[in-house]
Amino acid sequence: MRQKRGGNSMIQDYECRPEDSDHGMLEVIRTYQLPVPEIYVKMEEILRFAKLEKEQNRKPFCTIPFDHTLEAGAMGGNVRYGNETAGPRAEKPICQSLEELKAISGMDFDSGRMKETLDVCRELRKQGEEVLFQMSGPLTIWNTLIDVKHILKGIRKTPDQMEEIFGMIETEMLRLLVEVKKAGVRLVSYADSAGSVRILGPKSMEWMTRTFTAPFLKKAADILGDDMAMILCPKTVFALIGTDLGKRGECPFPGEMTYQEACVCAIGKAQFPSQMCINRSGTKITNGKLMTIEIKESHA
């Protein structure tokens, strides 16, 4: 972990490790020769893939969606669905400027892949399965819609315009969280890997944490209520702690269990479990305490 200074804050960078990446998904596709792109876009195939992946990787929940292009696709972005060696990723960006990004329509929940995905969440919950819904952060979503250099430049040169664009994406992400809750999902993970301190730089990372991340998580907490938990990526946690907008806490749980099991156990007890990367499926916690974070009031 490297420390980087930004303004008065000190934001650590979290290095993603091999065990943090979800290779398990592609392994399942190869093992069962699952059809691409159907496993990303058709309800029955998404459902089958989610259950097989849970079983194969011995997880306490089904992970949905399987990649980080769902939100951008629902906003009209171009997605290439890959094959058994690479998952879905961004195709050619549909926006060439921040003005075009601002003019983009909101997420469509009633058709296409997003509708199928939310329907799968409903069906899995009906079948008694626990579901982890993977939410992406703004930079990760925009990465599919526009060349991110426009965003980085915007944060530096036209912060007021960027604040407006962040406000628009916040609205869409909160709308999505409401839909996910309506589908019966109790567990969400939040990560913005394209928005790390290494990519943004310490000053812009601090600005984004104050302008977007902390306020967004505060509003998300109101939607989560007592029925849901949102697992935060270590990159987000370090940004909150480094800007003094997050405070460490802990949630007790009985006996020894994996991090993923402890996160399920935290539903209704803690809103933001945040001890490690959620992709570390086998990592055990032996001390009966799950690290959490509380979002402090922002005084940007």
Side-chain angles (χ1 to χ4, degrees):
M1 291 169 196
R2 275 205 294 267
Q3 294 195 321
K4 312 224 173 177
R5 194 175 284 284
N8 302 318
S9 73
M10 182 83 92
I11 298 177
Q12 286 185 333
D13 190 18
Y14 176 80
E15 304 280 350
C16 292
R17 299 151 209 196
E19 62 268 32
D20 295 340
S21 73
D22 230 331
H23 294 309
M25 298 276 179
L26 297 171
E27 219 166 278
V28 175
I29 296 171
R30 282 194 290 270
T31 306
Y32 295 95
Q33 299 182 315
L34 299 177
V36 177
E38 288 82 355
I39 52 166
Y40 300 112
V41 296
K42 286 213 170 87
M43 185 186 160
E44 300 74 22
E45 295 294 347
I46 300 171
L47 191 68
R48 184 171 160 234
F49 183 15
K51 290 170 102 169
L52 285 170
E53 195 272 331
K54 175 200 171 187
E55 209 176 290
Q56 179 108 337
N57 294 314
R58 298 191 180 89
K59 287 153 80 164
F61 45 66
C62 293
T63 303
I64 300 273
F66 313 116
D67 65 292
H68 298 282
T69 63
L70 178 72
E71 293 97 332
M75 294 171 85
N78 296 320
V79 176
R80 188 172 25 181
Y81 285 107
N83 49 36
E84 72 284 352
T85 55
R89 56 203 180 282
E91 193 90 272
K92 200 169 177 283
I94 55 168
C95 301
Q96 307 306 317
S97 67
L98 293 179
E99 283 68 30
E100 285 181 24
L101 187 64
K102 226 156 83 175
I104 217 164
S105 56
M107 285 183 211
D108 174 7
F109 302 124
D110 301 319
S111 66
R113 185 184 175 201
M114 180 63 89
K115 179 187 185 299
E116 302 287 312
T117 303
L118 291 168
D119 285 347
V120 168
C121 292
R122 262 180 218 99
E123 183 54 35
L124 285 167
R125 292 297 290 141
K126 216 183 281 174
Q127 294 178 14
E129 296 281 1
E130 204 63 72
V131 174
L132 173 77
F133 190 95
Q134 294 197 90
M135 269 190 94
S136 297
L139 271 289
T140 304
I141 296 170
W142 288 330
N143 202 25
T144 300
L145 301 170
I146 191 169
D147 187 328
V148 173
K149 69 174 187 215
H150 294 295
I151 303 288
L152 305 181
K153 189 178 168 192
I155 292 173
R156 286 196 316 272
K157 308 267 192 198
T158 53
D160 289 354
Q161 183 187 25
M162 277 314 301
E163 207 166 319
E164 196 183 330
I165 295 171
F166 268 110
M168 291 164 78
I169 198 79
E170 178 188 80
T171 301
E172 292 311 305
M173 289 165 65
L174 293 170
R175 280 179 67 227
L176 174 59
L177 189 56
V178 169
E179 292 300 318
V180 167
K181 185 173 190 170
K182 275 196 222 157
V185 174
R186 308 191 315 149
L187 200 55
V188 176
S189 67
Y190 174 77
D192 196 13
S193 55
S196 68
V197 72
R198 173 175 294 179
I199 294 165
L200 286 167
K203 246 174 119 173
S204 294
M205 185 73 172
E206 179 175 354
W207 181 87
M208 179 175 147
T209 307
R210 292 187 187 284
T211 307
F212 172 80
T213 314
F216 163 71
L217 291 173
K218 274 273 186 211
K219 290 170 192 152
D222 292 338
I223 297 167
L224 297 172
D226 296 329
D227 330 301
M228 293 175 84
M230 181 183 270
I231 304 156
L232 300 184
C233 161
K235 288 177 191 286
T236 304
V237 174
F238 283 163
L240 291 165
I241 289 170
T243 49
D244 200 29
L245 291 170
K247 188 173 78 183
R248 277 279 179 212
E250 53 185 41
C251 174
F253 60 85
E256 179 181 294
M257 54 179 83
T258 68
Y259 179 53
Q260 294 183 338
E261 288 163 347
C263 287
V264 174
C265 200
I267 299 167
K269 301 189 195 88
Q271 285 189 316
F272 298 110
S274 54
Q275 188 154 333
M276 63 184 80
C277 176
I278 192 58
N279 290 334
R280 294 215 198 156
S281 50
T283 312
K284 283 212 160 45
I285 302 180
T286 53
N287 65 356
K289 287 175 189 161
L290 174 68
M291 281 167 81
T292 63
I293 198 163
E294 277 172 58
I295 316 302
K296 294 186 188 177
E297 290 303 326
S298 171
H299 303 291

